Amino acid sequence: MIILIPAYEPDQQLPALIRSIRDAEPWVPILVVDDGSGPQYRDVFDGVRALGCHVISYGRNRGKGFALKTGFCFIADNLPGHDVVCADSDGQHTVVDILRVAETLRQNRAGQRWATMVLGSRSFTGNVPALSRLGNSATRSLFTLATGERIPDTQTGLRGYPGAMIPWLRSVRGDRYEYELNLLLEAKTGGYSIQSVEISTVYLDHNSGSHFRPFADSVRIYAPLLKFLASSFTAFLLDTVLFLLLTLAVDSLLLAVLGARAVSSVVNFLVNRNVVFEHGRDKPASAAVVRYFSLAAVLLAANFGVIWLLEAAGLPALPAKILAEVLLLAATFAAQQRWLFAGKTSLGKAGSTSSEAPARTHISG
């Protein structure tokens, strides 16, 4: 087992954590990645080196995802086959919990479960900062919507990965905080499963040591849903305008719905396939078209039925149309993410490596 710790501008919590690990597991290899912290943090990393850790440094901050992939590259090249436990540098993860995740990996290895990542899952009880509680709740809901799986803690930085998973870990996109969510979103496509073990919920000084930027990093994390919402809203505007024009031109609700949806669906398909979904172009265009318009037919029937019921209840056409679209939005996203534009499930893809991996780093230990 190897413990991998990405660190950006760390305080004395980092050497304190490493001393605690050394007390519990004196011989376990520890790899620390200095994510461009700068010369003013040299003393902290010198202290880490003195504790017997490998340290990788590079010149400028590249993001947590880049730091993790840098560590995975080093492990693949120098310590292949070892399981990896990733922990944060800010003191949020106790040694007891780090070793609990490591023990779960050992048990999985003994049971020949080579394709299961282990998440240290916080319960979010007690004195938890409101932003942290809200952020995890929002991301957990997004993840469930996108994959159909329920994971208690999608934002945990305490994670365990079997050694066989490292090539795939290097291939997943993302350089910053979005990388860890992308791993969860793409795990099933890669042929991997996710296991959660309960850990303590620790926030030191209201999480003041975190470098998470609430707006910029949240946009990165929620990018798949935000792009989908933008695409859906554009298609909705086009669909609604055409729907209103057709209701004036023809005396038929069915024809108005069909005509408007035919045009807006083509636009929505092209945008989602080419821009919104990461694996949108994995399938041949002909197969994607068949799947998309089969799904569109089902959603169209549902849309028509909801509008008809709402109008029968006395709601005017435009409000009925808007409400029907909102009610079906979540189902539309889930169906496209999980079925229409999902990537091919294949462990064979794990053999590739990321083009984003650093070519040159400074390594000491």
Side-chain angles (χ1 to χ4, degrees):
M1 180 192 70
I2 300 166
I3 296 176
L4 170 59
I5 304 175
Y8 175 60
E9 298 183 351
D11 57 20
Q12 291 303 314
Q13 293 292 339
L14 175 58
L17 172 63
I18 292 170
R19 282 192 291 269
S20 297
I21 295 172
R22 285 279 179 248
D23 289 341
E25 292 281 347
W27 308 115
V28 64
I30 302 175
L31 172 62
V32 176
V33 179
D34 169 17
D35 185 25
S37 300
Q40 60 269 44
Y41 292 90
R42 186 172 299 154
D43 289 345
V44 177
F45 290 105
D46 285 344
V48 166
R49 291 185 184 95
L51 292 170
C53 299
H54 297 282
V55 178
I56 299 176
S57 300
Y58 40 85
R60 64 182 179 89
N61 175 249
R62 302 293 297 271
K64 187 179 183 182
F66 189 90
L68 287 169
K69 285 189 276 190
T70 298
F72 295 142
C73 288
F74 175 84
I75 292 167
D77 292 340
N78 297 278
L79 298 163
H82 286 72
D83 297 339
V84 183
V85 176
C86 299
D88 291 341
S89 65
D90 55 7
Q92 287 195 32
H93 303 139
T94 68
V95 175
V96 170
D97 290 331
I98 291 172
L99 297 181
R100 179 178 292 122
V101 170
E103 178 59 28
T104 304
L105 282 176
R106 290 191 188 101
Q107 292 172 3
N108 287 348
R109 178 182 282 267
Q112 297 187 348
R113 295 187 291 273
W114 311 109
T116 301
M117 71 172 70
V118 179
L119 305 184
S121 177
R122 299 163 292 180
S123 60
F124 291 95
T125 58
N127 187 25
V128 178
L131 280 177
S132 296
R133 192 189 301 272
L134 178 63
N136 193 270
S137 177
T139 311
R140 186 170 61 245
S141 299
L142 166 62
F143 183 83
T144 301
L145 174 65
T147 66
E149 298 182 61
R150 297 183 64 85
I151 292 181
D153 186 1
T154 55
Q155 292 184 318
T156 179
L158 180 54
R159 304 179 179 207
Y161 304 106
M165 194 180 290
I166 288 179
W168 175 76
L169 294 170
R170 296 168 62 185
S171 74
V172 175
R173 72 197 190 285
D175 280 350
R176 298 190 179 272
Y177 285 104
E178 79 279 8
Y179 171 69
E180 290 181 303
L181 181 61
N182 289 340
L183 290 177
L184 303 184
L185 287 169
E186 298 187 19
K188 187 174 182 180
T189 299
Y192 300 105
S193 60
I194 300 169
Q195 177 182 2
S196 295
V197 296
E198 187 173 349
I199 64 171
S200 304
T201 305
V202 179
Y203 285 99
L204 301 176
D205 193 22
H206 298 283
N207 207 24
S208 60
S210 173
H211 295 284
F212 184 84
R213 300 166 298 174
F215 178 76
D217 291 322
S218 292
V219 168
R220 285 179 175 271
I221 288 172
Y222 302 135
L225 182 59
L226 293 173
K227 287 191 293 185
F228 178 79
L229 290 174
S231 169
S232 297
F233 183 67
T234 301
F236 163 74
L237 287 179
L238 178 61
D239 192 69
T240 301
V241 170
L242 292 173
F243 172 76
L244 292 175
L245 291 174
L246 288 171
T247 55
L248 296 175
V250 298
D251 188 22
S252 170
L253 172 63
L254 179 59
L255 288 178
V257 170
L258 285 173
R261 186 53 56 92
V263 176
S264 64
S265 292
V266 172
V267 173
N268 186 245
F269 169 77
L270 293 173
V271 173
N272 286 357
R273 184 170 189 266
N274 292 285
V275 178
V276 174
F277 292 101
E278 176 71 13
H279 299 285
R281 285 177 287 182
D282 283 5
K283 294 183 177 66
S286 57
V289 166
V290 171
R291 285 194 172 200
Y292 180 87
F293 285 99
S294 298
L295 175 63
V298 173
L299 293 172
L300 178 62
N303 183 275
F304 175 79
V306 172
I307 294 175
W308 184 84
L309 289 172
L310 292 173
E311 286 193 330
L315 201 63
L318 181 57
K321 170 72 173 173
I322 294 173
L323 184 55
E325 295 291 347
V326 171
L327 291 173
L328 293 172
L329 181 64
T332 304
F333 176 75
Q336 293 193 39
Q337 172 75 19
R338 298 179 210 168
W339 177 66
L340 180 59
F341 296 119
K344 298 177 181 178
T345 301
S346 173
L347 281 170
K349 291 176 68 177
S352 63
T353 57
S354 173
S355 61
E356 300 173 348
R360 296 176 181 268
T361 57
H362 173 68
I363 303 173
S364 62

